[in-house]
Amino acid sequence: MSAEAAPAAPRRSRFIDRGSSIGLLLVAMPVFLLAWLIIFPIFSAVVGTIFVRGADGATELSLASYRFFFSDRYSLSNLWVTLWTTAVCGILLLAIGLPIALYLRFSQGRLAAYVQAVAIFPMFVPSIILAYALIRTIGPNGTVDLLLNAVGLPKLRTPYLTPWGPVIGLVWDNLPLTVLMLTAGLSSVSNSAIEAARDVGARPLRIFVSIILPRMGNSLLVTASFAVLGIFSAFTLPYVLGPASPEMMGPFMQRTFADMNNPLDAMTQAVITFGICLVFGIFYVRSIARSRETRP
């Protein structure tokens, strides 16, 4: 018995080694593209903003572009508007998306299907079309203004070209992904646990706080990270719906690079934006690694 099992062990080991080699070859090209198209430009941008060419043509270590950004009132106001918009959009997305996800998770029937279709519909609408649709709806002399005027009510104070314009557009644009991710997180909540809590007299709020919410911690963190990363780097909706001053970092970087012809300051703004987004990216990676460790 042992003599027959002895040759099988090396054969199995060679099979495992061959499978591992094939797996490494399969991921080699995606990893190479990731390093070439993402990681290398990041390091190049960081190095390019620290080691700059001086007046004599020699490359020297300088943090002048970062000192200018953090001492310039206009640059700081743009960064503040971006952080404010991201925070408000993240809170609104969770406040709107979580009730919808709860309804879709614990409801059945045709009405739930209609609600899901309406919630996911913005995912298939391009951002530029969404922006102009909002302009024609809530902009000056838009549909809402015409309806209010028809019934003798005062005009709507439009959020168009104010900081609230990008908030409305970004919440509408990111709501489908938020609902889908929260609904996927709610799938870990078993119906048996809900029914057991109801049998002992637990009310809906108690069930949500004690059973549902603890099982959704990782999903909420991942959803918030995705929302922050998408909103912080948004360009189209803030550019079309937002004010000219102050502006979010996406339009600010584009205008600094193209209109002012200042690549160094635009690259510095990009590095600062990446550094802030990196914090939320680390939260996302840690949450994913933690969920893989706790997975049976």
Side-chain angles (χ1 to χ4, degrees):
M1 187 68 178
S2 59
E4 294 178 357
R11 189 181 304 115
R12 185 180 305 171
S13 177
R14 288 195 300 268
F15 179 77
I16 294 175
D17 293 340
R18 185 180 303 172
S20 301
S21 302
I22 295 175
L24 291 176
L25 289 176
L26 290 175
V27 301
M29 183 56 67
V31 171
F32 172 75
L33 291 176
L34 175 67
W36 179 35
L37 299 177
I38 298 179
I39 298 179
F40 174 75
I42 291 173
F43 281 102
S44 177
V46 173
V47 173
T49 55
I50 296 178
F51 296 93
V52 298
R53 190 177 299 274
D56 56 354
T59 301
E60 57 185 14
L61 177 64
S62 175
L63 299 176
S65 60
Y66 292 95
R67 286 196 297 267
F68 171 78
F69 181 90
F70 288 106
S71 61
D72 181 51
R73 182 176 300 178
Y74 183 68
S75 300
L76 292 178
S77 64
N78 291 336
L79 180 60
W80 164 249
V81 166
T82 305
L83 293 172
W84 177 84
T85 303
T86 304
V88 172
C89 289
I91 294 173
L92 290 176
L93 282 171
L94 292 178
I96 298 172
L98 185 56
I100 297 176
L102 288 170
Y103 174 77
L104 296 177
R105 169 63 179 83
F106 298 105
S107 300
Q108 296 178 354
R110 184 172 299 178
L111 181 59
Y114 290 153
V115 172
Q116 183 176 8
V118 173
I120 299 177
F121 175 74
M123 181 179 294
F124 306 99
V125 180
S127 298
I128 189 66
I129 297 178
L130 171 62
Y132 282 103
L134 291 175
I135 293 173
R136 297 302 301 168
T137 303
I138 61 177
N141 300 320
T143 304
V144 176
D145 268 349
L146 295 177
L147 294 176
L148 293 176
N149 185 49
V151 296
L153 295 176
K155 290 174 65 69
L156 171 71
R157 186 176 180 181
T158 175
Y160 175 53
L161 298 182
T162 70
W164 286 102
V167 169
I168 297 174
L170 290 169
V171 168
W172 179 261
D173 191 41
N174 290 273
L175 186 60
L177 182 60
T178 301
V179 171
L180 290 175
M181 295 183 67
L182 291 177
T183 305
L186 284 169
S187 62
S188 61
V189 181
S190 62
N191 293 331
S192 59
I194 303 296
E195 294 299 331
R198 289 175 179 172
D199 291 340
V200 297
R203 296 185 176 182
L205 182 59
R206 187 65 177 178
I207 293 174
F208 174 74
V209 174
S210 301
I211 297 178
I212 297 177
L213 199 57
R215 289 172 170 81
M216 289 194 61
N218 187 65
S219 298
L220 290 173
L221 182 60
V222 171
T223 303
S225 300
F226 263 92
V228 168
L229 294 176
I231 294 169
F232 204 92
S233 58
F235 173 78
T236 302
L237 292 172
Y239 181 78
V240 177
L241 300 176
S245 176
E247 54 191 342
M248 289 184 65
M249 293 300 293
F252 183 37
M253 284 184 281
Q254 191 275 338
R255 189 176 58 81
T256 303
F257 181 81
D259 299 343
M260 302 179 63
N261 194 22
N262 193 339
L264 178 60
D265 284 350
M267 195 180 302
T268 302
Q269 297 160 14
V271 172
I272 294 173
T273 301
F274 169 75
I276 297 175
C277 293
L278 181 62
V279 176
F280 295 93
I282 292 174
F283 284 138
Y284 168 72
V285 173
R286 289 190 61 183
S287 64
I288 294 297
R290 190 179 306 167
S291 64
R292 291 179 63 91
E293 290 176 357
T294 57
R295 186 181 305 171

